[in-house]
Amino acid sequence: MRSLRHFDLNLLLVFEALMRERHVTRAAEKLHLSQPALSHALKRLREALEDPLFIRTENGMQPTPRAQALQPVVQQALALLREGLAPPAVFVPAKSKRRFTLATTDYFEEVMYPTFLSQLLAYAPGISFSIELITPDVLSEGLEQRHVDMVVGLDSQRTLPSGVIQTPWMDEELVCLAANHNNRVGNTLDIAQFSQELHVELADISGLLPSNIDSCLVRHGLTRRVISKNLNYIAAARVVALTEAIMTLPRQMAERFVAMLPVRLVEPPKELPALNMTLIQHGLYANEPANAWLYEVLTEFAKRFNYQKGTNHQA
């Protein structure tokens, strides 16, 4: 044999079948080949290995010493190939003790995560999660190095590192929050008045997001004054409750603060974009069974959550 580069590896299956059956017709049947096709393959195998390999005797077809020496090598090689080419092991949530790491927004962690986790634990009691902040390192290195399994809830990004996959997940409308004592603001805001009000907003810890609100205002030749950038929603809402500033945030988060603080909902300018939340993962692991399962359950959760949200709003 001159070189593996010129050797047809399919011939190893022919060799394996002939060693097992010691009969051309039976070997052909096992491989779902015609007898002439298998005989031709055997001829090629003999030429490649420069040995007759099998000789017809009074006791049937017998392997030569060269064939006998090859048998354990071929068996081991085929066993390794079959193992390596087999589909990945099925992920079984009910039996798994896997810990997933999610990088998320405050909105997902506060509004959705408790329900998401409680639903999962009902049929996957051994699974657990770690929650981390979304930082530039998460997208540039954390996903690729698998320090983070998935980024959940980040607003749609225009540019992401190579290999990172972003898919739409859930949309949420934005509303404004104002203090009950704030007489400057009525029940609705047009874009001109919106730009003139004082604002509180959530600080972008990730360093990734140009403010969609500010981008919208710029398109209309407007700007705004932000008097406070806070690290979490509750602190920002408390600032709103004690000042005449307003805050723009997802509706369901705002509704929670209305029940907790002396604040009220205000309809924002119609020009403001919705929050387009996404799931972000690395292409290296997207087909890995555990990650594929996580993506699926998050997607199904979003469908149920949106349905429930729509039902509540209709009520």
Side-chain angles (χ1 to χ4, degrees), residues 16 24 32 42 61 65 70 73 83 99 117 144-145 147 150-151 161 171 192 205 231 250 259 276 279 281-282 310:
E16 179 189 47
V24 171
H32 304 288
L42 176 57
M61 182 176 280
L70 277 173
V73 176
E83 180 182 355
R99 175 179 289 273
L117 181 60
E144 182 175 347
Q145 296 177 8
H147 299 151
M150 203 161 295
V151 176
D171 294 342
I205 301 171
L231 294 176
N276 305 126
L279 295 178
Q281 58 183 319
H282 204 283

Side-chain angles (χ1 to χ4, degrees), residues 86-93 96 98 100 127 146 149-150 281 284-297:
V90 176
F91 181 73
V92 183
S96 176
R98 170 73 179 266
F100 292 96
I127 285 175
R146 217 170 189 184
D149 294 294
M150 203 161 295
Q281 58 183 319
L284 286 171
Y285 313 110
N287 290 331
E288 193 270 331
N291 266 47
W293 172 82
L294 177 62
Y295 179 85
E296 180 182 352
V297 295

Side-chain angles (χ1 to χ4, degrees), residues 12 17 41 53 70 86 96 99 105 138 153 163 174-176 198 228 234 238 253 269 309 312:
L12 296 181
L53 297 174
L70 277 173
S96 176
R99 175 179 289 273
T105 61
V138 164
L174 297 176
V175 297
C176 294
L198 301 176
S228 180
I234 184 61
R238 287 174 62 83
M253 181 69 86
K309 181 174 63 176
N312 290 342

Side-chain angles (χ1 to χ4, degrees), residues 67-138:
Q68 291 175 346
L70 277 173
Q71 183 179 21
V73 176
V74 171
Q75 283 180 331
Q76 182 179 16
L78 289 176
L80 288 171
L81 281 171
R82 287 177 176 126
E83 180 182 355
L85 295 174
V90 176
F91 181 73
V92 183
K95 297 181 179 179
S96 176
K97 298 189 181 301
R98 170 73 179 266
R99 175 179 289 273
F100 292 96
T101 299
L102 303 179
T104 73
T105 61
D106 277 7
Y107 176 64
F108 171 79
E109 185 176 11
E110 169 65 26
V111 174
M112 289 176 273
Y113 174 69
T115 302
F116 172 73
L117 181 60
S118 66
Q119 290 176 354
L120 281 192
L121 291 178
Y123 67 92
I127 285 175
S128 59
F129 289 87
S130 293
I131 302 297
E132 294 190 1
L133 294 172
I134 301 172
T135 66
D137 287 344
V138 164

Side-chain angles (χ1 to χ4, degrees), residues 154-167:
L154 188 64
D155 202 6
S156 179
Q157 299 291 294
R158 293 182 181 178
T159 58
L160 287 168
S162 178
V164 171
I165 300 171
Q166 175 180 242
T167 53

Side-chain angles (χ1 to χ4, degrees), residues 34 134 141 187 208 210 213 260 273 305:
S34 66
I134 301 172
E141 299 175 7
N187 294 328
L208 299 165
I213 295 173
M260 296 165 49
F305 190 86

